[in-house]
């Protein structure tokens, strides 16, 4: 029996809030990946390069390799969806260093769902998992200069701007900087204590 034909009680589900849900990537998610790969400005901000045109084969391979948390690339990959089950993007936990307790998160929200708070909500769910379940201590990330939406999201999450790596990415004929952000477990808990029920 397929998941969408089963009645599931999500009322105590860890991987959601009152607006967004994280779930495993399914092989059929290749279609959403394929369509989102045509959003060149968003892909440039995510991948820091201009990619070759998307292919159906590439998107199917991506979905198959990352379905059901079977990936061997060191990333824990999720599909983001609304509580109604509509796919709206993806998020992953990556660069996990258990010894030092550090990690990063990659996220992409489909164009029509940006600016609605889905990204920030999904980030909080994954930060809660990393800090309070995996015992990780420090979230490190970088935002490409000019990516105001991601910079604002980092600040809303409580991240501290820790520096700048100058001229490390070459896109569209110019060198660009990375803005470095960080957030410790204690800072996250302090800022979000009430909604974490701690």
């Amino acid at each position: 029996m397929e998941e969408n034909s089963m009645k599931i009680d999500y009322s105590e589900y860890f991987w959601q809030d009152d607006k967004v849900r994280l779930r495993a990537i399914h092989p059929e998610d290749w279609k959403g990946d394929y369509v989102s790969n045509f959003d060149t400005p968003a892909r440039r901000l995510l991948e820091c390069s201009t990619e070759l045109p998307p292919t159906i084969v590439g998107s199917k391979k991506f979905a198959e390799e990352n379905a059901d948390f079977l990936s061997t690339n060191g990333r824990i990959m999720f599909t983001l969806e609304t509580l109604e089950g509509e796919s709206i993007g993806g998020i992953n936990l990556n660069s996990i260093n258990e010894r030092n307790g550090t990690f990063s998160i990659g996220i992409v929200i489909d164009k029509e769902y940006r600016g609605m708070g889905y990204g920030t909500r999904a980030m909080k769910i994954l930060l809660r998992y990393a800090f309070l379940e995996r015992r990780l201590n420090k979230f490190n990330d970088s935002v490409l200069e000019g990516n105001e939406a991601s910079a604002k999201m980092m600040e809303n999450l409580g991240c501290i701007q820790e520096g700048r790596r100058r001229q490390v990415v070459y896109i569209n004929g110019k060198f660009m900087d990375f803005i470095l952000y960080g957030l410790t477990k204690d800072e996250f808990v302090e800022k979000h204590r009430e909604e974490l029920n701690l």
Side-chain angles (χ1 to χ4, degrees):
M1 186 184 301
E2 291 190 18
E3 179 184 341
N4 56 5
S5 65
M6 291 186 273
K7 175 94 171 105
I8 297 173
D9 178 3
Y10 287 106
S11 61
E12 300 295 328
Y13 188 54
F14 177 89
W15 298 100
Q16 73 177 27
D17 67 6
D18 60 356
K19 194 170 182 181
V20 67
R21 179 179 298 130
L22 281 62
R23 65 162 171 81
I25 293 175
H26 299 156
E28 60 271 17
D29 288 333
W30 74 266
K31 294 174 188 172
D33 177 72
Y34 180 69
V35 170
S36 72
N37 286 337
F38 285 91
D39 186 354
T40 299
R43 296 299 300 174
R44 279 182 171 165
L45 294 175
L46 181 68
E47 296 297 332
C48 299
S49 69
T50 301
E51 300 168 313
L52 293 175
T55 66
I56 290 173
V57 169
S59 290
K60 284 184 176 181
K61 183 177 179 186
F62 168 81
E64 286 173 16
E65 289 177 352
N66 293 289
D68 300 325
F69 306 111
L70 297 176
S71 172
T72 58
N73 66 8
R75 295 174 182 236
I76 303 173
M77 308 283 285
F78 300 86
T79 293
L80 297 179
E81 63 182 18
T82 64
L83 298 188
E84 293 75 37
E86 186 165 356
S87 176
I88 60 171
I91 192 169
N92 68 78
L93 187 64
N94 64 73
S95 304
I96 302 166
N97 182 316
E98 300 284 354
R99 181 179 182 276
N100 295 313
T102 59
F103 66 99
S104 189
I105 294 174
I107 185 169
V108 62
I109 303 295
D110 294 342
K111 191 176 200 174
E112 59 271 28
Y113 296 99
R114 292 181 198 142
M116 300 178 181
Y118 289 114
T120 302
R121 289 169 171 273
M123 288 285 293
K124 285 180 187 176
I125 293 168
L126 206 46
L127 287 167
R128 181 180 68 199
Y129 171 70
F131 288 137
L132 303 181
E133 302 299 327
R134 293 287 299 261
R135 296 184 187 181
L136 298 173
N137 184 59
K138 177 78 184 307
F139 166 64
N140 293 309
D141 216 341
S142 59
V143 173
L144 190 63
E145 70 174 291
N147 187 348
E148 301 301 327
S150 289
K152 182 178 177 185
M153 180 177 67
M154 292 293 158
E155 292 163 11
N156 287 342
L157 289 167
C159 296
I160 307 297
Q161 186 175 325
E162 297 182 334
R164 177 180 291 258
R165 293 187 61 210
R166 299 175 304 123
Q167 298 186 10
V168 292
V169 174
Y170 186 75
I171 303 174
N172 201 26
K174 68 178 186 174
F175 288 98
M176 301 178 75
D177 299 350
F178 274 137
I179 314 303
L180 306 177
Y181 287 92
L183 180 69
T184 67
K185 174 186 173 183
D186 290 344
E187 291 165 343
F188 176 74
V189 168
E190 182 64 30
K191 180 164 179 68
H192 304 283
R193 181 177 301 280
E194 191 172 305
E195 58 193 292
L196 294 170
N197 296 318
L198 297 176

